Amino acid sequence: MAGSLGLAVAWWLHHPLPLAAPTLDLSIEPGTSPRAVAQASADAGADVNPFLLYWWFRLSGDARQIRAGSYELVTGVTPVSLLRMLVRGEESLRSVTLVEGWNWRQVRQALARAEAMKPETQNLTDEAIMAALERPGEPPEGRFFPDTYTYAKGSSDLAVLRRALHAMDRKLDAAWAQRAPDTPLKTPQEALILASIVEKETGKPADRALIAGVFTNRLRSGMLLQTDPTVIYGLGTSFDGNLRKRHLLADTPWNTYTRAGLPPTPIAMPGAASLLAAVQPAQTKALYFVARGDGTSQFSATLDEHNRAVNKYQRGQ
C-alpha cells in the first residue's frame, strides 16, 4: 500500500495539470501565503486540488521561498514545475523597444501600445511624469536611453521609464568623462543636445563622428548650426513631412537657422554612439555636409565646395 501511495504521489507531482486554457495568468502579490498561492493557482484555471497543492508546497520545504510576481501557466505545467517556477521567480516577461532617434512623443506612444503594461502615465502631463521620476522641472525629451526593456506582465510604464532614465544618466556620465579637452560643450546637458542632433542627422554610422565634427566647428566659430531636424522638431505635429523654405524662416526656440547655438532641449533620444561622437568629434576642417542620397554625406570645408556638392547630389547638376 505504501508503495502504491508513493507511486501515486510521484505520478501526481509529475503529471501535467489540466488547464482551462492553453495559457493562464497567475498573479502573486507580496505577502501571499503558500495556502493562498495554491488557491490562486486553482482560481486562475488550473484543475488542481488547492489542499493537495498547498501540502506539496509545505512538504517540499520551499513554501517560504515562493516569490511574488506575474506568472504564466502553460500546457504541460506540473506541480513540480509550478513550484520551481514560483521559487525561482520565473515571471512572465514582455519587452518594449525604445528606438534611437525617437522623440518623447513616440516614446509615450510605444508605452501606450506595450502589451500587458500598466499605463500609470496615461493621464499624466509631461511635467507630472518627470516629477514622479524625481526630476521635477526637467524636460523629458532625450532623457531616456533607447534600448529594449523587459518587464513583468502588469508592470508600470513608469517603472520602465525610470530604468531608461537611469540608463541614460549612466551613458551620458560615461561619455562626458571621455570628452575631448577642447570641446566647446560646457555641460553634460549640452552634450546630450548635440548628440540628439547627431543622431537625427546620421544616415551611415561611419559619418557620425564627422557630422559631430562639423557641428563642433560651427559652435566654436559662432556659426549657425542650420540643421533641418531641429526645425522639424520645433514644428511639432504640424510638420507634414515636407520641409519648405518658409519653415526655415519660421522662428521657434529649436530653429537653428534663426537662432545661434544649441537648441534649448534635445530633439530625440541619442544612442551610445552619438553620445560619444558628440564629446569626441572627428578632427576635421569641414563646416558643411550634404546627403549624397545613399545614406552617406559629402563633407566640405568651404561654402564653394558645399555648393558644388549640393548641385551634384541634390540637384543632379
Side-chain angles (χ1 to χ4, degrees), residues 34-112:
R35 186 187 296 275
V37 171
Q39 184 61 55
S41 302
D43 293 342
D47 187 4
V48 62
N49 186 312
F51 178 78
L52 294 178
L53 190 60
Y54 164 63
W55 275 102
W56 156 235
F57 291 165
R58 287 200 58 181
L59 293 174
S60 71
D62 291 330
R64 294 183 179 275
Q65 306 303 316
I66 292 175
R67 302 182 186 183
S70 297
Y71 300 93
E72 276 187 352
L73 308 187
V74 298
T75 301
V77 66
T78 67
V80 169
S81 63
L82 172 59
L83 179 59
R84 185 187 305 120
M85 177 175 64
L86 298 176
V87 169
R88 291 179 178 177
E90 297 172 353
E91 294 187 72
S92 169
L93 298 180
R94 298 292 186 270
S95 67
V96 60
T97 298
L98 307 183
V99 180
E100 294 176 354
W102 273 5
N103 60 33
W104 170 239
R105 184 174 62 255
Q106 291 170 301
V107 171
R108 294 201 66 170
Q109 290 170 350
L111 294 177

Side-chain angles (χ1 to χ4, degrees), residues 220-255:
R220 284 200 189 102
S221 64
M223 290 179 65
L224 293 173
L225 295 185
Q226 294 184 320
T227 168
D228 293 354
T230 62
V231 177
I232 292 170
Y233 181 84
L235 294 174
T237 55
S238 67
F239 181 62
D240 62 4
N242 187 13
L243 190 65
R244 302 173 178 85
K245 185 175 181 179
R246 61 181 173 83
H247 294 142
L248 304 182
L249 300 176
D251 183 53
T252 74
W254 289 271
N255 189 335

Side-chain angles (χ1 to χ4, degrees), residues 228-297:
D228 293 354
T230 62
V231 177
I232 292 170
Y233 181 84
L235 294 174
T237 55
S238 67
F239 181 62
D240 62 4
N242 187 13
L243 190 65
R244 302 173 178 85
K245 185 175 181 179
R246 61 181 173 83
H247 294 142
L248 304 182
L249 300 176
D251 183 53
T252 74
W254 289 271
N255 189 335
T256 52
Y257 283 83
T258 60
R259 300 198 182 195
L262 293 165
T265 71
I267 60 172
M269 293 186 300
S274 291
L275 288 170
L276 192 59
V279 297
Q280 290 186 358
Q283 297 297 314
T284 177
K285 294 182 179 179
L287 289 169
Y288 308 89
F289 64 91
V290 64
R292 289 193 181 111
D294 61 356
T296 64
S297 297

